[in-house]
Amino acid sequence: MGAACSCFKETQLDSEQLTIKKETSNSRLKQEQGAFVIEIPAYFFKPAEINNSHLLILQSVLRGYLDRRAVKEKIKANSTQVRLNSGYTMQPRNSVMEIHGELPNYSNTITEAIYKKLEPFQYDAEFTDNTPRVKKGPVLLDNGAIYIGEWSDKWERHGKGVQVWPDGSKYEGYWLHDRANGKGRLMHGDGDVYEGDWVDDKAHGYGVYKHTDGATYNGQWKDDKQHGFGLEIWPDGARYEGQYTYGRKDGKGKFHWSDGSKYYGEFKDNNIDGEGIYSWMDGRRYEGTWKNNKMDGFGTFTWADGRCYKGEYVDDKKQGRGYFSWPDGRKYEGSWYNGKQHGHGVYSTAKGERKEGEWQEGKRLKWVEN
């Protein structure tokens, strides 16, 4: 998790990676009689944390019907990717050498503050793997990270262990043959924290990701990405609860905005797409088909004052056959185009009298005699 973390940037969610840079300028390493001498500060043994996240912004613009507010212009989306900077390029080891003395202080002001808030990491029951293990003190790895914990007989990180990187990232949890596996907690150098299940250095299974800005994701992961059911909450109170597919909202879900508007229905590739219900705080409500965040297909739109439209939409506008009724009993049934009555239609008065006519861009051109 310290090497690449794509965190909630909507523009190119799949490709954006946040790389943890190794900064070793604060390392104080010296060699005495063939052994590294490093003093070990107490902070190293404090609870761990996570790195690199950015705000989540859902790609799609919800323009809505005519006066849909700019507040809906984007549905926030979070494609959080969690990856452990474990050092895949490390060569097989014939042995490991412990270092003694004071360790370099890899923490920063952000991670120091997070350390104080975290509860001590809780390991599960005893590690059940049958591989012989031995516990060692601090070991300096060839990527500059420092590891304290258990090793296999082949000198792989194996069992319980804590590792700190030069950028301040810190992982505490279980290892299996040199990779994070099982339960673990990673704090990134910028203060973001992931705690949950790991498979081969990737978030996989159930886990919770907390951003320093207060945004959180609680749910299922696969190959470092949100996958399955999850709950995302943003600092302004907006929240999404539903299905994800490799980091993107996909399937059925519920989205609540901070202003009280909400949507329940289908999502596709981070967009409102399929069947769903959108309701506004002023009482408007649309139930029907959506395409790329716009009303598109058949649907029913109602207003708080009793007006109602049932019919076809194209690109957020009434278009095709549709039926419109007013609270006083008047009705129009006929053709629509670009949001307005256009073509042949039947108008009914409040008293029930029916008249056929021709309309153009919302204006009646003439009545048609039967």
Side-chain angles (χ1 to χ4, degrees):
M1 277 195 171
C5 174
S6 111
C7 303
F8 301 1
K9 289 208 170 180
E10 176 14 60
T11 47
Q12 293 180 340
L13 289 173
D14 287 344
S15 61
E16 293 198 8
Q17 305 286 324
L18 300 178
T19 303
I20 294 181
K21 299 179 181 178
K22 302 185 178 78
E23 299 176 356
T24 56
S25 59
N26 60 345
S27 301
R28 295 190 313 240
L29 303 179
K30 48 184 177 176
Q31 198 166 6
E32 293 184 4
Q33 298 179 349
F36 285 103
V37 178
I38 303 179
E39 295 180 16
I40 305 174
Y43 92 91
F44 187 88
F45 301 99
K46 294 181 181 179
E49 289 224 37
I50 315 188
N51 172 20
N52 298 352
S53 66
H54 281 75
L55 272 183
L56 347 130
I57 304 170
L58 221 179
Q59 157 188 16
S60 4
V61 177
L62 291 169
R63 295 185 183 137
Y65 182 73
L66 295 177
D67 58 347
R68 191 176 302 174
R69 291 179 290 178
V71 149
K72 310 301 181 313
E73 66 185 16
K74 290 187 186 257
I75 308 170
K76 298 176 182 178
N78 181 352
S79 177
T80 301
Q81 182 171 350
V82 182
R83 182 173 295 278
L84 183 69
N85 183 4
S86 55
Y88 287 114
T89 60
M90 292 182 180
Q91 299 298 317
R93 308 177 187 90
N94 295 321
S95 64
V96 296
M97 182 172 59
E98 294 178 276
I99 52 181
H100 304 283
E102 181 184 1
L103 289 176
N105 186 353
Y106 286 160
S107 65
N108 56 55
T109 55
I110 297 175
T111 56
E112 285 283 7
I114 299 295
Y115 288 149
K116 297 176 182 179
K117 297 179 182 179
L118 288 176
E119 297 291 331
F121 178 77
Q122 298 295 322
Y123 286 92
D124 292 329
E126 189 61 31
F127 199 57
T128 56
D129 182 78
N130 293 325
T131 302
R133 303 191 309 278
V134 61
K135 189 172 183 179
K136 290 279 188 179
V139 173
L140 180 66
L141 304 177
D142 57 10
N143 64 353
I146 296 174
Y147 174 79
I148 297 178
E150 296 179 318
W151 299 81
S152 72
D153 55 351
K154 295 182 180 179
W155 299 114
E156 301 166 317
R157 291 162 295 178
H158 196 93
K160 300 175 182 178
V162 180
Q163 183 163 315
V164 177
W165 286 264
D167 71 344
S169 301
K170 181 180 177 182
Y171 172 82
E172 183 172 8
Y174 289 101
W175 302 78
L176 185 68
H177 301 300
D178 246 1
R179 294 188 177 188
N181 276 276
K183 182 181 178 182
R185 180 169 66 192
L186 175 68
M187 179 186 72
H188 293 282
D190 67 356
D192 287 358
V193 178
Y194 169 82
E195 182 168 351
D197 298 327
W198 294 81
V199 174
D200 290 340
D201 278 349
K202 296 180 180 180
H204 194 103
Y206 173 79
V208 178
Y209 197 107
K210 297 181 179 180
H211 295 261
T212 53
D213 68 352
T216 63
Y217 171 80
N218 186 323
Q220 296 297 314
W221 296 77
K222 183 176 183 180
D223 292 336
D224 273 349
K225 293 185 178 181
Q226 302 145 298
H227 190 85
F229 186 83
L231 171 64
E232 223 171 332
I233 301 176
W234 288 270
D236 64 357
R239 58 188 286 143
Y240 170 81
E241 182 177 5
Q243 295 295 320
Y244 289 80
T245 300
Y246 288 107
R248 303 176 79 82
K249 296 168 182 62
D250 199 278
K252 287 191 175 182
K254 302 176 183 178
F255 205 110
H256 290 242
W257 282 266
S258 58
D259 67 352
S261 301
K262 53 189 176 182
Y263 170 81
Y264 172 73
E266 295 176 310
F267 288 79
K268 183 178 180 181
D269 196 28
N270 260 357
N271 296 318
I272 290 178
D273 198 301
E275 296 295 319
I277 302 171
Y278 194 109
S279 58
W280 288 259
M281 278 297 292
D282 60 8
R284 289 174 297 153
R285 182 179 185 271
Y286 172 79
E287 179 175 0
T289 306
W290 297 78
K291 184 177 180 180
N292 292 328
N293 302 309
K294 295 181 180 181
M295 299 174 285
D296 199 297
F298 187 85
T300 300
F301 200 112
T302 57
W303 286 259
D305 62 6
R307 287 174 294 160
C308 176
Y309 171 80
K310 294 182 180 181
E312 296 174 297
Y313 280 87
V314 174
D315 198 27
D316 251 1
K317 296 177 181 179
K318 296 183 282 292
Q319 188 160 310
R321 295 291 298 179
Y323 173 91
F324 196 101
S325 61
W326 285 264
D328 61 4
R330 290 176 295 138
K331 301 172 185 177
Y332 170 84
E333 183 175 6
S335 296
W336 298 76
Y337 182 77
N338 200 30
K340 299 177 181 180
Q341 297 137 305
H342 191 90
H344 186 80
V346 178
Y347 175 80
S348 299
T349 67
K351 296 180 179 180
E353 299 173 354
R354 290 167 52 89
K355 294 183 179 181
E356 293 187 34
E358 295 290 335
W359 277 259
Q360 184 175 357
E361 296 184 354
K363 296 180 180 180
R364 179 174 52 82
L365 297 178
K366 63 179 179 179
W367 295 116
V368 177
E369 297 296 333
N370 293 328

